[in-house]
Amino acid sequence: MTLTTILLIIILLMMALLVWTIQRIQLQNKALLESERNIAQIKNDMLEKEAGFQQRLDKDIKEAQKRSNNMQRNVLKGQIGEQFTPFITDFPYNPSDCRFMGEPIDYVIFQNLHECADGNVPIENVQLIIAEVKTGNARLNQRQKIIKQVIENGQVSFKELRIKHCENTEEMHVQVSA
């Protein structure tokens, strides 16, 4: 074998190696491009999902704000209604006999107190009524339930409180009498 033949064989081998290397690089480039396309698709999917999530979040926030505003309006309407209850047309008691407290119960009603004081009805027709005004689906709270039970149990009394003033010390004291 001559030197020229050996060189030719070496050149052919090198060209074959070069072609093989180029093919490998092309395959790697193709795989890399496919990976980049997949990454781009994943990013696009994530952006779409994020946009959808943001839209749902915005919608849910608006709905929650609307529910909150409605609840606040209902509470406000209820509070206003509580104070104006004695002036509703079919209210069964004389508004002048009603005293609004608001908390823990809405009204103490001294039914027929004015009429009795004026001598128009006997004391047997006078009644002390503890009243709570509710609207919609509102229910008695725990303190109101306790007050109701205390009244039903007859655990009610009348106390007269006397303020005593000590002239020497300028102190005041409260004395409870039955």
Side-chain angles (χ1 to χ4, degrees):
M1 254 199 208
T2 66
L3 185 59
T4 308
T5 308
I6 293 173
L7 281 173
L8 213 79
I9 292 173
I10 291 174
I11 290 174
L12 283 174
L13 284 173
M14 294 208 36
M15 285 186 75
L17 184 60
L18 185 61
V19 168
W20 180 79
T21 305
I22 289 172
Q23 286 175 344
R24 292 279 299 161
I25 290 172
Q26 286 175 339
L27 284 173
Q28 287 177 347
N29 281 344
K30 186 177 178 181
L32 186 60
L33 285 173
E34 186 64 30
S35 294
E36 287 176 351
R37 277 191 223 114
N38 288 342
I39 290 171
Q41 183 63 42
I42 290 169
K43 284 182 178 179
N44 189 40
D45 290 348
M46 285 177 58
L47 287 174
E48 286 177 9
K49 287 182 180 181
E50 184 179 339
F53 173 76
Q54 190 62 45
Q55 287 175 343
R56 284 190 306 276
L57 179 63
D58 291 344
K59 180 182 172 189
D60 289 348
I61 288 172
K62 286 180 183 176
E63 287 176 4
Q65 287 172 334
K66 185 177 179 181
R67 281 192 309 270
S68 175
N69 288 340
N70 285 340
M71 288 177 79
Q72 288 174 349
R73 279 188 206 103
N74 288 340
V75 168
L76 188 57
K77 286 177 188 177
Q79 290 172 342
I80 291 170
E82 288 171 355
Q83 295 201 25
F84 286 100
T85 299
F87 306 104
I88 295 174
T89 304
D90 59 349
F91 185 71
Y93 307 105
N94 182 344
S96 63
D97 289 342
C98 300
R99 296 297 173 266
F100 180 75
M101 293 179 59
E103 187 60 37
I105 50 97
D106 292 325
Y107 285 94
V108 175
I109 301 172
F110 303 93
Q111 184 179 18
N112 293 323
L113 179 63
H114 287 87
E115 291 291 317
C116 183
D118 293 341
N120 298 331
V121 297
I123 197 164
E124 293 79 26
N125 289 2
V126 177
Q127 213 178 16
L128 180 63
I129 300 168
I130 305 298
E132 177 62 26
V133 178
K134 295 291 182 195
T135 58
N137 295 328
R139 297 185 180 144
L140 294 177
N141 65 35
Q142 187 61 32
R143 290 168 302 175
Q144 293 163 348
K145 289 177 185 177
I146 292 169
I147 291 170
K148 180 180 177 185
Q149 187 63 52
V150 164
I151 292 169
E152 289 172 353
N153 291 348
Q155 297 166 250
V156 181
S157 62
F158 181 88
K159 302 289 181 187
E160 182 179 338
L161 304 178
R162 292 252 172 215
I163 298 175
K164 299 290 183 176
H165 181 260
C166 180
E167 293 181 18
N168 295 338
T169 63
E170 296 293 322
E171 290 182 13
M172 297 176 124
H173 298 282
V174 176
Q175 180 181 22
V176 180
S177 56

